[in-house]
Amino acid sequence: MNVTQILHESIVRRRGLAKQVAKALGKPYSTLLRELNPWDRGAKIGVDDLSAILRSSGDVSALRAIAEDLGYRLTPAREKKL
C-alpha cells in the first residue's frame, strides 16, 4: 500500500475520525476526504498536513510505512502514559 492508501484506511474507515482530523486541520471535511482518496489523482495530502493528520489521529502507520520504505524503524521518543 502507498501512503495515501494507508492514510485512507486509518482515517476514513474509522467512524468519526475524518471529521475530527478535518477540524484539527481547519479544512472542510469534503476537502480532506478528497485529499485522502487514493483513487483521486487531482488532490493529495501535503507534507505539512501529514504531520497534523498523524498527530490528530494518533495513528502513525503511514509514518511507519515511510520509515520502512527508506530502511528505517520507527520508535517513539517517549512512552505514552496510559
Side-chain angles (χ1 to χ4, degrees):
M1 270 198 277
N2 67 37
V3 172
T4 305
Q5 290 170 324
I6 293 168
L7 286 171
H8 185 265
E9 289 292 318
S10 65
I11 306 300
V12 175
R13 300 213 180 238
R14 287 175 44 200
R15 187 180 188 121
L17 185 57
K19 287 184 180 182
Q20 176 185 325
V21 170
K23 184 176 180 180
L25 290 172
K27 288 184 180 224
Y29 174 68
S30 60
T31 299
L32 179 66
L33 290 183
R34 180 165 186 229
E35 291 175 348
L36 290 174
N37 184 342
W39 303 281
D40 184 343
R41 298 282 181 210
K44 294 294 170 210
I45 289 293
V47 170
D48 293 331
D49 286 339
L50 177 60
S51 179
I53 289 170
L54 299 174
R55 191 179 315 97
S56 64
S57 71
D59 187 325
V60 295
S61 55
L63 182 59
R64 184 176 296 110
I66 293 168
E68 289 174 0
D69 185 51
L70 297 172
Y72 291 86
R73 284 191 201 111
L74 184 65
T75 58
R78 59 183 177 260
E79 291 185 33
K80 290 183 182 180
K81 293 182 180 181
L82 299 176

